[in-house]
Amino acid sequence: PGYDELRISNLGGGQSFTWLRASVVDQPLWGSDNATLLVAVQDSAGAAILRGSPASARPPDTVFASKAPAAVPLLLDWSGPHQALGRIGNPYQIVRFDPLARPVRFDTIVSASTYAMTSADGRYLVFSRPAESRILITANPPGSWEHQLATSAVEPVWLSGSEILYRSGFTWHAVRIDPGTGQPVGTASVWGADPRFADTFGWSNRPDWHGGIIYLQGPEDTRATYLRVIPHWVERMERAVDRENR
């Protein structure tokens, strides 16, 4: 209560510890070295992007800080030491920046977009257009071509160098990509579904290291599956109350 915590858990041994505390902790992203984290935090003094290793005794470095929280992008992707993506502005813009550069510069690469992620080799960019609920793929950096992958869909993520996953409601679809050209191959197929999927602020599903995804699952639906009608129930209860009051 009163603050957010960023906790690091060992999935093998079960140990965990708190690495950061702040009024708000947003969207932590693991780096390609599997040891460094990029995370945005916010408190009464403003907002900042931090970079550091939970295994180190040193405090994280400040990549960028501002007294205006709106000036700090929501983190979306960190595909390499020198390339990270964020979302900023209204309407939203996808910006690219180098977390190791000083000072940091945010370059807009896609306009009117909410989510974006680069392929593992850095050659392609998949992103969403919320106005049309479209998923598109283009070169990285964006060039003269783009291909539409889906409509009525959100939150595209790369599962591998040749497969992209996107979501429609609580159903996920997968589409194959030609790694040489970036073009979709064949038609999309249903990858999975979960009626208990819970939408969250920012990314609601993220790829794991084993070709799957991580998402928040809500509680089971315990609502009744039938309705029983009792004829004249109100009149019967009123008569019962009258009897008790005599």
Side-chain angles (χ1 to χ4, degrees), residues 181-192:
T181 66
Q183 296 185 10
V185 178
T187 58
S189 59
V190 174
W191 185 84

Side-chain angles (χ1 to χ4, degrees), residues 64-87:
F64 176 77
S66 175
K67 293 182 179 179
V72 177
L74 177 74
L75 300 177
L76 295 178
D77 186 41
W78 190 18
S79 57
H82 299 281
Q83 179 166 276
L85 300 179
R87 186 178 76 200

Side-chain angles (χ1 to χ4, degrees), residues 109 115 139 149 184:
I109 59 172
Y115 293 96
L149 303 180

Side-chain angles (χ1 to χ4, degrees), residues 27 73-77 85-95 110-117 126-136 153-156 167 201-204 206:
Q27 303 289 114
L74 177 74
L75 300 177
L76 295 178
D77 186 41
L85 300 179
R87 186 178 76 200
I88 197 169
N90 186 15
Y92 292 131
Q93 314 288 318
I94 302 299
V95 296
V110 180
S111 299
S113 179
T114 48
Y115 293 96
M117 186 176 179
V126 63
F127 63 97
S128 61
R129 292 278 194 203
E132 305 95 358
S133 299
R134 295 192 298 156
I135 305 297
L136 300 107
V154 295
E155 297 193 55
R167 182 172 57 81
F201 174 77
W203 283 114
S204 297
R206 289 291 291 172

Side-chain angles (χ1 to χ4, degrees), residues 38 49 51 61-64 77-78 80-85 97-102 104:
L38 196 66
I49 297 175
R51 175 186 175 274
D61 297 326
T62 299
V63 175
F64 176 77
D77 186 41
W78 190 18
H82 299 281
Q83 179 166 276
L85 300 179
F97 65 98
D98 181 351
L100 299 180
R102 298 294 184 274
V104 167

Side-chain angles (χ1 to χ4, degrees), residues 148-166:
Q148 179 172 294
L149 303 180
T151 58
S152 301
V154 295
E155 297 193 55
V157 296
W158 290 89
L159 285 186
S160 69
S162 60
E163 190 175 26
I164 291 173
L165 195 72
Y166 58 85

Side-chain angles (χ1 to χ4, degrees), residues 22 26 58 80 111 114 134 136-137 140 156 164 167 176 181 197 202 222 232 241:
D26 281 337
R58 293 180 52 190
S111 299
T114 48
R134 295 192 298 156
L136 300 107
I137 184 173
N140 183 39
I164 291 173
R167 182 172 57 81
R176 305 293 297 182
T181 66
F197 166 82
T222 57
H232 309 295
V241 171

